[in-house]
Amino acid sequence: MDQIAPSSDLMSELLLGMRLRGLQYRRIHVGSSFGFAFREKTGCAYFHFMATGKAALRTEDGVRETLAAGNAVFLPQGSAHQIVSDPTASVQDIEHYDVAPLSETLYAVTTPEPQSIFFSGCMEFDLGGLQGLVPLMPEIMKIDATSQRYLELMPILTAMEQEACSGRVGDAGILARLADVVMTVIVRGWVECGCGNSSAFVTALREPRLSRAILALHRQPGRDWSVAELAAESGLSRSVFAKRFQETIGVTPLRYAGELRMRIARTWLAYDKISIERVADRLGYTSQAAFSRAYKRIVGVSPGYSRRT
Protein backbone atom coordinates (compact mmCIF):
# COMPACT_ATOMS: atom_id res chain seq x y z
CA MET A 1 0.00 0.00 0.00
CA ASP A 2 1.28 3.44 -0.91
CA GLN A 3 1.36 5.16 2.49
CA ILE A 4 1.10 8.83 3.31
CA ALA A 5 4.02 10.31 5.25
CA PRO A 6 4.05 10.99 8.11
CA SER A 7 1.31 8.35 8.23
CA SER A 8 0.59 7.80 11.93
CA ASP A 9 0.38 11.34 13.34
CA LEU A 10 -1.26 12.96 10.36
CA MET A 11 -3.73 10.16 9.62
CA SER A 12 -4.78 9.98 13.28
CA GLU A 13 -5.30 13.73 13.41
CA LEU A 14 -7.40 13.75 10.24
CA LEU A 15 -9.56 10.78 11.24
CA LEU A 16 -10.18 12.32 14.67
CA GLY A 17 -12.04 15.09 12.84
CA MET A 18 -14.37 12.66 11.09
CA ARG A 19 -17.97 12.53 12.29
CA LEU A 20 -20.32 9.59 11.74
CA ARG A 21 -23.68 9.89 13.45
CA GLY A 22 -26.20 7.19 12.78
CA LEU A 23 -29.58 8.56 11.73
CA GLN A 24 -31.20 5.23 11.04
CA TYR A 25 -30.06 1.61 10.99
CA ARG A 26 -32.21 -1.25 9.68
CA ARG A 27 -31.86 -5.00 10.02
CA ILE A 28 -33.80 -6.28 7.04
CA HIS A 29 -35.15 -9.84 6.59
CA VAL A 30 -36.29 -10.41 3.02
CA GLY A 31 -37.95 -13.10 0.95
CA SER A 32 -36.92 -14.40 -2.46
CA SER A 33 -38.12 -11.25 -4.27
CA PHE A 34 -37.56 -7.74 -2.92
CA GLY A 35 -36.76 -4.19 -3.97
CA PHE A 36 -35.83 -1.23 -1.75
CA ALA A 37 -35.30 2.34 -2.94
CA PHE A 38 -33.08 4.71 -0.93
CA ARG A 39 -33.44 8.45 -1.50
CA GLU A 40 -30.56 10.84 -2.09
CA LYS A 41 -29.46 12.40 1.20
CA THR A 42 -27.03 15.32 0.99
CA GLY A 43 -24.45 15.36 3.78
CA CYS A 44 -25.10 11.71 4.59
CA ALA A 45 -23.64 8.35 3.66
CA TYR A 46 -25.20 4.93 3.18
CA PHE A 47 -23.78 1.60 4.28
CA HIS A 48 -25.16 -1.83 3.39
CA PHE A 49 -23.93 -5.26 4.45
CA MET A 50 -25.25 -8.48 2.92
CA ALA A 51 -25.20 -11.12 5.64
CA THR A 52 -26.92 -13.95 3.75
CA GLY A 53 -28.35 -14.36 0.27
CA LYS A 54 -27.58 -12.12 -2.69
CA ALA A 55 -28.83 -8.90 -4.28
CA ALA A 56 -27.89 -6.16 -6.71
CA LEU A 57 -27.31 -2.48 -6.03
CA ARG A 58 -28.12 -0.08 -8.85
CA THR A 59 -27.92 3.70 -9.06
CA GLU A 60 -29.84 6.27 -11.07
CA ASP A 61 -26.81 6.51 -13.39
CA GLY A 62 -27.13 2.84 -14.28
CA VAL A 63 -24.19 1.62 -12.19
CA ARG A 64 -24.78 -1.92 -10.95
CA GLU A 65 -22.98 -3.90 -8.25
CA THR A 66 -23.64 -7.52 -7.34
CA LEU A 67 -23.83 -8.22 -3.60
CA ALA A 68 -23.18 -11.66 -2.16
CA ALA A 69 -23.06 -12.84 1.43
CA GLY A 70 -20.21 -11.07 3.24
CA ASN A 71 -20.13 -8.06 0.86
CA ALA A 72 -20.38 -4.48 2.11
CA VAL A 73 -20.95 -1.27 0.15
CA PHE A 74 -20.35 2.31 1.24
CA LEU A 75 -21.94 5.26 -0.58
CA PRO A 76 -20.14 8.32 0.88
CA GLN A 77 -22.13 10.91 -1.08
CA GLY A 78 -25.57 9.63 -0.07
CA SER A 79 -26.58 8.96 -3.68
CA ALA A 80 -30.03 7.63 -4.55
CA HIS A 81 -29.96 3.89 -5.26
CA GLN A 82 -31.90 0.63 -5.10
CA ILE A 83 -31.19 -2.80 -3.68
CA VAL A 84 -33.11 -5.51 -5.52
CA SER A 85 -33.27 -9.28 -5.68
CA ASP A 86 -33.46 -9.25 -9.50
CA PRO A 87 -34.06 -6.77 -12.36
CA THR A 88 -37.80 -7.50 -12.48
CA ALA A 89 -38.48 -7.11 -8.75
CA SER A 90 -41.04 -4.53 -7.63
CA VAL A 91 -39.33 -1.58 -5.86
CA GLN A 92 -40.70 0.40 -2.92
CA ASP A 93 -39.22 3.32 -0.98
CA ILE A 94 -37.55 2.01 2.19
CA GLU A 95 -39.35 4.72 4.19
CA HIS A 96 -42.72 3.15 3.30
CA TYR A 97 -42.04 -0.24 4.88
CA ASP A 98 -43.49 -1.12 8.28
CA VAL A 99 -40.77 -1.26 10.91
CA ALA A 100 -40.36 -2.62 14.43
CA PRO A 101 -38.40 -0.13 16.58
CA LEU A 102 -35.46 -1.70 18.42
CA SER A 103 -34.11 1.60 19.80
CA GLU A 104 -34.14 5.31 18.92
CA THR A 105 -32.21 4.76 15.66
CA LEU A 106 -32.50 0.99 15.15
CA TYR A 107 -35.35 -0.71 13.32
CA ALA A 108 -36.24 -4.16 12.06
CA VAL A 109 -37.88 -4.64 8.65
CA THR A 110 -39.35 -8.05 7.82
CA THR A 111 -40.98 -9.00 4.53
CA PRO A 112 -43.14 -12.10 3.94
CA GLU A 113 -41.35 -15.47 3.99
CA PRO A 114 -37.94 -14.03 5.04
CA GLN A 115 -34.93 -15.91 3.73
CA SER A 116 -32.02 -13.46 3.44
CA ILE A 117 -30.64 -10.81 5.81
CA PHE A 118 -28.93 -7.54 5.13
CA PHE A 119 -28.08 -4.61 7.35
CA SER A 120 -28.49 -1.01 6.21
CA GLY A 121 -27.36 2.27 7.74
CA CYS A 122 -27.80 5.95 6.94
CA MET A 123 -25.61 8.38 8.85
CA GLU A 124 -24.46 11.96 8.83
CA PHE A 125 -20.98 11.95 7.30
CA ASP A 126 -18.55 14.79 7.88
CA LEU A 127 -14.78 14.55 7.35
CA GLY A 128 -14.05 17.74 9.27
CA GLY A 129 -10.88 19.25 7.85
CA LEU A 130 -10.97 16.71 5.03
CA GLN A 131 -14.55 17.52 3.98
CA GLY A 132 -13.34 18.79 0.62
CA LEU A 133 -12.42 15.21 -0.28
CA VAL A 134 -15.98 13.85 -0.05
CA PRO A 135 -17.02 14.94 -3.58
CA LEU A 136 -13.87 13.22 -4.89
CA MET A 137 -14.78 9.85 -3.38
CA PRO A 138 -16.27 7.13 -5.60
CA GLU A 139 -20.06 6.96 -5.64
CA ILE A 140 -19.89 3.31 -4.52
CA MET A 141 -17.09 1.64 -2.56
CA LYS A 142 -17.54 -2.14 -2.44
CA ILE A 143 -15.72 -4.44 -0.02
CA ASP A 144 -15.52 -8.19 -0.51
CA ALA A 145 -13.13 -11.07 0.09
CA THR A 146 -11.02 -10.05 -2.93
CA SER A 147 -10.40 -6.48 -1.68
CA GLN A 148 -6.66 -6.49 -1.02
CA ARG A 149 -6.80 -2.87 0.17
CA TYR A 150 -9.09 -3.76 3.08
CA LEU A 151 -7.81 -7.09 4.34
CA GLU A 152 -8.17 -5.90 7.95
CA LEU A 153 -11.93 -5.63 7.40
CA MET A 154 -12.45 -9.31 6.69
CA PRO A 155 -12.64 -10.38 10.39
CA ILE A 156 -15.03 -7.48 11.11
CA LEU A 157 -17.31 -8.41 8.21
CA THR A 158 -17.22 -12.03 9.35
CA ALA A 159 -18.27 -10.87 12.82
CA MET A 160 -21.10 -8.85 11.27
CA GLU A 161 -22.28 -11.89 9.34
CA GLN A 162 -22.28 -14.04 12.49
CA GLU A 163 -24.03 -11.35 14.52
CA ALA A 164 -26.72 -10.78 11.89
CA CYS A 165 -27.52 -14.50 11.78
CA SER A 166 -27.34 -15.15 15.53
CA GLY A 167 -30.67 -13.67 16.57
CA ARG A 168 -29.18 -12.74 19.95
CA VAL A 169 -30.38 -9.86 22.08
CA GLY A 170 -28.78 -6.55 21.05
CA ASP A 171 -27.46 -7.87 17.74
CA ALA A 172 -28.67 -4.82 15.77
CA GLY A 173 -26.88 -2.44 18.15
CA ILE A 174 -23.63 -4.35 17.78
CA LEU A 175 -24.06 -4.34 13.99
CA ALA A 176 -24.45 -0.54 14.06
CA ARG A 177 -21.20 -0.09 15.98
CA LEU A 178 -19.33 -2.50 13.69
CA ALA A 179 -20.68 -0.61 10.67
CA ASP A 180 -19.18 2.62 12.04
CA VAL A 181 -15.78 0.92 12.35
CA VAL A 182 -15.99 -0.50 8.83
CA MET A 183 -16.73 2.91 7.34
CA THR A 184 -13.86 4.57 9.21
CA VAL A 185 -11.43 1.92 7.92
CA ILE A 186 -12.76 2.36 4.36
CA VAL A 187 -12.14 6.12 4.49
CA ARG A 188 -8.66 5.59 5.92
CA GLY A 189 -7.78 3.07 3.21
CA TRP A 190 -9.00 5.37 0.47
CA VAL A 191 -6.95 8.30 1.78
CA GLU A 192 -3.87 6.12 2.35
CA CYS A 193 -4.03 4.87 -1.21
CA GLY A 194 -4.02 8.37 -2.61
CA CYS A 195 -7.73 9.15 -2.95
CA GLY A 196 -7.59 7.82 -6.48
CA ASN A 197 -4.82 10.35 -7.12
CA SER A 198 -7.63 12.86 -7.55
CA SER A 199 -6.64 15.51 -5.05
CA ALA A 200 -3.80 18.03 -4.81
CA PHE A 201 -4.31 17.78 -1.05
CA VAL A 202 -3.05 14.21 -1.14
CA THR A 203 0.08 15.35 -2.98
CA ALA A 204 0.74 17.73 -0.10
CA LEU A 205 0.24 14.97 2.45
CA ARG A 206 2.90 12.91 0.69
CA GLU A 207 5.34 15.84 0.81
CA PRO A 208 6.95 15.62 4.29
CA ARG A 209 7.67 19.34 4.65
CA LEU A 210 4.20 20.51 3.63
CA SER A 211 2.51 17.78 5.64
CA ARG A 212 4.20 19.06 8.82
CA ALA A 213 2.61 22.49 8.29
CA ILE A 214 -0.78 20.92 7.55
CA LEU A 215 -0.53 18.81 10.69
CA ALA A 216 0.25 21.94 12.74
CA LEU A 217 -2.81 23.71 11.30
CA HIS A 218 -5.10 20.80 12.10
CA ARG A 219 -3.75 20.48 15.63
CA GLN A 220 -4.02 24.19 16.42
CA PRO A 221 -6.78 25.62 14.19
CA GLY A 222 -7.43 28.49 16.61
CA ARG A 223 -3.91 29.83 16.49
CA ASP A 224 -3.34 33.04 14.51
CA TRP A 225 -0.78 31.47 12.20
CA SER A 226 1.52 33.56 10.05
CA VAL A 227 3.11 32.29 6.85
CA ALA A 228 6.52 32.62 8.48
CA GLU A 229 5.44 30.38 11.40
CA LEU A 230 4.08 27.74 9.05
CA ALA A 231 7.26 27.90 6.99
CA ALA A 232 9.25 27.30 10.18
CA GLU A 233 7.13 24.19 10.88
CA SER A 234 8.07 22.95 7.41
CA GLY A 235 11.74 23.83 7.71
CA LEU A 236 11.55 26.03 4.61
CA SER A 237 12.09 29.70 3.96
CA ARG A 238 8.93 31.82 3.91
CA SER A 239 9.02 32.44 0.16
CA VAL A 240 9.80 28.83 -0.81
CA PHE A 241 7.10 27.50 1.53
CA ALA A 242 4.42 29.92 0.29
CA LYS A 243 5.19 29.17 -3.35
CA ARG A 244 5.29 25.38 -2.87
CA PHE A 245 2.10 25.38 -0.78
CA GLN A 246 0.09 27.35 -3.34
CA GLU A 247 1.43 25.35 -6.29
CA THR A 248 0.48 22.08 -4.56
CA ILE A 249 -2.77 22.92 -2.77
CA GLY A 250 -4.02 25.62 -5.11
CA VAL A 251 -4.65 28.24 -2.42
CA THR A 252 -2.43 30.33 -0.14
CA PRO A 253 -1.50 28.95 3.32
CA LEU A 254 -3.62 31.54 5.12
CA ARG A 255 -6.65 30.91 2.93
CA TYR A 256 -6.32 27.19 3.60
CA ALA A 257 -6.09 27.96 7.34
CA GLY A 258 -9.24 30.10 7.18
CA GLU A 259 -11.25 27.51 5.25
CA LEU A 260 -10.08 24.74 7.57
CA ARG A 261 -11.16 26.81 10.58
CA MET A 262 -14.66 27.21 9.12
CA ARG A 263 -15.01 23.50 8.24
CA ILE A 264 -14.14 22.67 11.83
CA ALA A 265 -16.54 25.35 13.07
CA ARG A 266 -19.34 23.86 10.99
CA THR A 267 -18.74 20.44 12.54
CA TRP A 268 -18.77 21.87 16.06
CA LEU A 269 -21.95 23.83 15.37
CA ALA A 270 -23.93 21.28 13.39
CA TYR A 271 -22.89 18.02 15.03
CA ASP A 272 -21.57 18.84 18.49
CA LYS A 273 -24.05 21.71 19.07
CA ILE A 274 -21.43 23.93 20.69
CA SER A 275 -22.56 27.52 21.19
CA ILE A 276 -21.49 30.13 18.62
CA GLU A 277 -19.72 32.13 21.32
CA ARG A 278 -17.71 29.08 22.44
CA VAL A 279 -16.78 28.12 18.86
CA ALA A 280 -15.59 31.68 18.17
CA ASP A 281 -13.45 31.59 21.31
CA ARG A 282 -11.95 28.16 20.57
CA LEU A 283 -10.99 29.27 17.07
CA GLY A 284 -9.20 32.39 18.28
CA TYR A 285 -11.67 35.11 17.28
CA THR A 286 -11.75 38.23 19.44
CA SER A 287 -15.53 38.54 19.13
CA GLN A 288 -18.55 36.53 18.08
CA ALA A 289 -19.36 39.17 15.46
CA ALA A 290 -15.93 38.80 13.82
CA PHE A 291 -16.32 35.03 13.74
CA SER A 292 -19.86 35.28 12.29
CA ARG A 293 -18.68 37.56 9.48
CA ALA A 294 -15.82 35.21 8.57
CA TYR A 295 -18.08 32.16 8.77
CA LYS A 296 -20.75 33.61 6.49
CA ARG A 297 -18.12 34.81 3.99
CA ILE A 298 -16.55 31.36 3.67
CA VAL A 299 -19.46 28.96 4.32
CA GLY A 300 -22.20 31.06 2.77
CA VAL A 301 -24.67 30.88 5.67
CA SER A 302 -24.65 32.22 9.21
CA PRO A 303 -23.32 30.16 12.17
CA GLY A 304 -26.82 30.20 13.65
CA TYR A 305 -28.25 28.60 10.51
CA SER A 306 -25.64 25.80 10.61
CA ARG A 307 -26.32 25.15 14.27
CA ARG A 308 -30.09 24.95 13.76
CA THR A 309 -29.88 22.59 10.78
Side-chain angles (χ1 to χ4, degrees):
M1 183 179 290
D2 195 1
Q3 298 286 334
I4 293 173
S7 59
S8 57
D9 288 346
L10 188 52
M11 185 59 65
S12 295
E13 194 68 31
L14 296 176
L15 289 179
L16 280 173
M18 186 170 76
R19 294 291 189 277
L20 282 169
R21 186 175 77 86
L23 300 176
Q24 201 167 64
Y25 296 98
R26 296 180 178 90
R27 184 187 59 200
I28 304 173
H29 288 222
V30 293
S32 58
S33 179
F34 56 87
F36 299 92
F38 297 83
R39 306 172 188 175
E40 179 181 2
K41 290 186 181 277
T42 303
C44 296
Y46 283 109
F47 173 83
H48 304 294
F49 173 71
M50 202 75 197
T52 64
K54 61 181 180 179
L57 183 150
R58 61 191 184 196
T59 70
E60 291 182 337
D61 297 333
V63 177
R64 182 183 171 92
E65 288 283 355
T66 301
L67 304 179
N71 290 170
V73 284
F74 179 46
L75 291 84
Q77 298 167 33
S79 306
H81 59 285
Q82 299 175 348
I83 293 183
V84 298
S85 57
D86 61 83
T88 62
S90 176
V91 178
Q92 183 175 326
D93 192 309
I94 187 67
E95 304 289 345
H96 297 164
Y97 279 85
D98 293 333
V99 299
L102 303 176
S103 73
E104 184 178 354
T105 58
L106 285 167
Y107 301 88
V109 177
T110 303
T111 65
E113 301 179 6
Q115 299 177 14
S116 302
I117 303 172
F118 74 92
F119 183 79
S120 174
C122 177
M123 57 284 299
E124 291 177 338
F125 179 49
D126 192 302
L127 281 180
L130 281 175
Q131 189 63 16
L133 292 181
V134 174
L136 303 176
M137 300 179 80
E139 183 181 22
I140 302 172
M141 303 170 78
K142 179 181 174 183
I143 312 302
D144 58 29
T146 65
S147 299
Q148 296 300 309
R149 181 185 299 182
Y150 302 105
L151 291 176
E152 69 271 35
L153 285 180
M154 294 306 108
I156 303 176
L157 295 180
T158 299
M160 290 187 72
E161 184 176 352
Q162 293 171 346
E163 198 64 42
C165 299
S166 69
R168 299 175 64 184
V169 174
D171 57 353
I174 293 174
L175 284 167
R177 301 291 77 78
L178 290 174
D180 291 347
V181 173
V182 170
M183 285 184 291
T184 303
V185 175
I186 290 172
V187 173
R188 180 184 67 178
W190 182 74
V191 174
E192 280 182 336
C193 289
C195 305
N197 295 317
S198 57
S199 173
F201 181 76
V202 175
T203 303
L205 294 182
R206 296 176 184 276
E207 217 284 353
R209 291 181 183 270
L210 291 183
S211 65
R212 286 198 291 269
I214 292 171
L215 179 59
L217 285 169
H218 280 258
R219 283 181 168 171
Q220 299 181 67
R223 177 173 167 177
D224 187 16
W225 288 97
S226 68
V227 177
E229 289 169 333
L230 291 170
E233 292 284 338
S234 296
L236 297 169
S237 70
R238 184 186 183 283
S239 59
V240 171
F241 167 75
K243 183 174 184 292
R244 187 176 299 179
F245 192 100
Q246 181 153 10
E247 287 178 346
T248 305
I249 298 292
V251 297
T252 66
L254 295 187
R255 179 175 172 181
Y256 177 87
E259 292 177 352
L260 169 66
R261 202 172 289 130
M262 293 307 120
R263 287 196 297 268
I264 293 172
R266 180 184 175 279
T267 297
W268 288 348
L269 291 166
Y271 296 96
D272 300 332
K273 300 303 181 185
I274 300 174
S275 70
I276 298 172
E277 181 180 8
R278 179 62 179 147
V279 171
D281 181 65
R282 288 175 66 174
L283 291 176
Y285 285 87
T286 56
S287 70
Q288 184 175 321
F291 164 71
S292 296
R293 286 193 298 271
Y295 188 91
K296 189 167 186 178
R297 184 179 69 251
I298 294 174
V299 180
V301 298
S302 69
Y305 181 85
S306 288
R307 194 169 190 275
R308 289 192 302 272
T309 58

